[in-house]
Amino acid sequence: MGKKVYLTDAGEEMQRYSSAVLATLAEADQVFDEMRGLGRGRLRIAVASTANYFVPQLLASFCQRYPGVQVSLDVTNRKRLLEALSDNETDLVIMGKPPDSMELVSESFMDNPLVAIAPPSHPLAQEKDIPLERLQEETFLVREKGSGTRSATERFFVEHGVSLSSTMEMSSSESIKQGVEAGLGFGLLSLHTLEMELALKRLVVLDVRELPILRKWYIMHRSGKRLSGVAKSFKEFVLGESKAILNLPTLPARN
Ligand code: PGA
């Protein structure tokens, strides 16, 4: 149509089947890589954009141990990760709560607290034990639909009977942090995205009574998927060593 090519329904079916064939061939390739020698081969991982704040650090340690491994890392939001799992485009996925709608093997390896952030100059920044209703009138910068952070945040406010009067949607944690720093509003993000801003005192975590939202990080793959040796090693590495390798911010103890 015009100068563009659109797929017919049959074309779309063909595209789905072709992708599945290509994914299976890639899997076969991995198996042969593995037969050629231990610690070699390709590792395809896809992670939630929020996990991108610590996964490269894990990869660096893993690749130091297995220098022959070739890594491809896809960073995207939860909705896209579910598609990658369902289309077998990836070996392993790291994200928040696994969906019930798909048969997956998933294991949690670390807590993922979600916290409210504000600029240090905001009057609430100094207060202790703030009830959630006090945030109701503030503007909140929220992630795009399809993000795990966004759905956890929405569920949290509904569960606590709080409806926000004003929200502004942004498609990355990075822009939310910049927006909060600039005074556009508050944000609710994983503590693991905030290391630099908290260390440099550009943002503060508000002491809200009902927070943090307690989530966990999971590593997962489709059940029935034949994991390559490299993928198996990476999964074991993440489950066993993440906590020791990562130096992520922690929440101050409550009195
Ligand atoms: P997100 O995912 O980066 O899509 O918000 C985080 C999560 O799944 O908890």
Side-chain angles (χ1 to χ4, degrees), residues 16 37 71 98 132 150 156 181 187:
R16 267 200 29 232
V71 177
L132 188 64
R150 164 78 173 256
F156 170 77
E181 257 190 76

Side-chain angles (χ1 to χ4, degrees), residues 48-50 76-78 95-97 112 143 146-150 215 217:
S49 48
T50 309
T76 182
N77 73 17
R78 181 180 175 86
M95 67 173 185
K97 193 180 174 320
N112 173 24
R143 284 278 306 275
S147 131
T149 308
R150 164 78 173 256
R215 278 169 72 76
W217 287 116

